[in-house]
């Protein structure tokens, strides 16, 4: 059975435009890698755990508070490794300096017989969408496209008169 993970694509609106939060993987393999190596904050699903519950749990573990707001579902993506990643966009501000990461242990240096501890993620940062396209893992880049498409649709809906039972408008997908 292939692995599954779930996470939140945090976004915020600034005077410069929309920014998204990405995290950089920890450990010696990723130390000198930058473009094409960042990810949305996510984690693996526990047995029988619902994807949104896992995304919320991971968020709370890394941020220290439960996520709140309107969760905008994105289509799951199959990664080159075979892992299936579920994601939701969520408007939320976060100070990257407050990131808390779980640790993992691995033999390092290779074949040394010594185990060392490394953080799962070593840093977080906000990026404009075009910068995020360069930073994010190739297999997760479609999340950015899905997010932008949904945001553009929400803006269109906000400009249209609301009809009963019709779209909720941009307020459901925009910050504030």
């Amino acid at each position: 059975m292939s692995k599954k993970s779930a996470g939140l694509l945090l976004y915020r609106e600034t005077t410069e435009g929309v920014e998204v939060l990405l995290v950089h993987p920890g450990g010696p393999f990723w130390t000198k890698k930058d473009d094409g190596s960042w990810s949305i904050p996510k984690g693996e699903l526990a047995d029988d755990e619902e994807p949104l519950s896992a995304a919320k749990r991971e968020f709370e573990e890394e941020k220290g508070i439960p996520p709140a707001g309107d969760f905008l579902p994105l289509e799951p993506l199959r990664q080159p490794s075979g892992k299936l990643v579920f994601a939701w966009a969520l408007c939320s501000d976060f100070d990257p300096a407050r990131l808390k990461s779980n640790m993992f242990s691995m033999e390092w240096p290779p074949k040394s017989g010594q185990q060392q501890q490394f953080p799962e993620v070593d840093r977080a940062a906000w990026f404009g969408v075009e910068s995020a396209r360069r930073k994010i893992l190739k297999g997760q880049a479609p999340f950015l496209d899905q997010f932008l498409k949904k945001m553009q649709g929400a803006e269109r809906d906000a400009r249209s008169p609301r009809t009963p039972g019709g779209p909720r408008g941009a307020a459901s997908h925009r910050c504030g």
Side-chain angles (χ1 to χ4, degrees):
M1 189 164 132
S2 66
K3 292 184 178 183
K4 297 178 183 176
S5 65
L8 299 176
L9 175 62
L10 298 185
Y11 70 95
R12 66 182 183 185
E13 296 179 56
T14 70
T15 56
E16 304 296 315
V18 175
E19 294 179 331
V20 296
L21 183 80
L22 299 178
V23 295
H24 186 269
F29 177 74
W30 298 99
T31 300
K32 295 181 181 177
K33 296 182 188 303
D34 190 50
D35 286 354
S37 63
W38 293 68
S39 172
I40 66 168
K42 63 179 181 48
E44 288 193 16
L45 275 68
D47 291 339
D48 298 323
E49 186 176 24
E50 291 296 319
L52 183 55
S53 296
K56 290 177 178 180
R57 174 182 48 77
E58 284 293 323
F59 178 92
E60 188 169 359
E61 286 176 4
E62 293 174 0
K63 194 170 178 184
I65 58 171
D70 293 323
F71 297 88
L72 178 62
L74 303 174
E75 290 297 317
L77 296 175
R78 178 85 49 199
Q79 301 301 286
S81 66
K83 180 186 283 189
L84 186 61
V85 179
F86 297 86
W88 288 260
L90 176 66
C91 181
S92 181
D93 205 359
F94 176 68
D95 177 1
R98 296 188 59 205
L99 178 74
K100 293 188 271 181
S101 177
N102 292 329
M103 303 294 283
F104 72 94
S105 182
M106 68 179 283
E107 182 180 11
W108 192 258
K111 301 180 183 178
S112 67
Q114 298 176 343
Q115 291 288 312
Q116 289 194 37
Q117 293 267 322
F118 299 97
E120 287 182 6
V121 293
D122 59 16
R123 62 191 183 272
W126 289 98
F127 297 99
V129 176
E130 291 312 309
S131 293
R133 282 187 201 288
R134 285 191 314 276
K135 300 292 183 187
I136 199 165
L137 292 163
K138 181 174 62 173
Q140 291 182 24
F143 283 140
L144 298 174
D145 298 327
Q146 290 181 44
F147 166 69
L148 289 175
K149 186 174 181 181
K150 289 188 180 230
M151 290 293 288
Q152 290 166 350
E155 288 174 3
R156 260 193 322 277
D157 292 345
R159 290 191 301 269
S160 301
R162 185 168 180 208
T163 57
R168 290 180 56 197
S172 66
H173 302 300
R174 306 287 290 182
C175 299

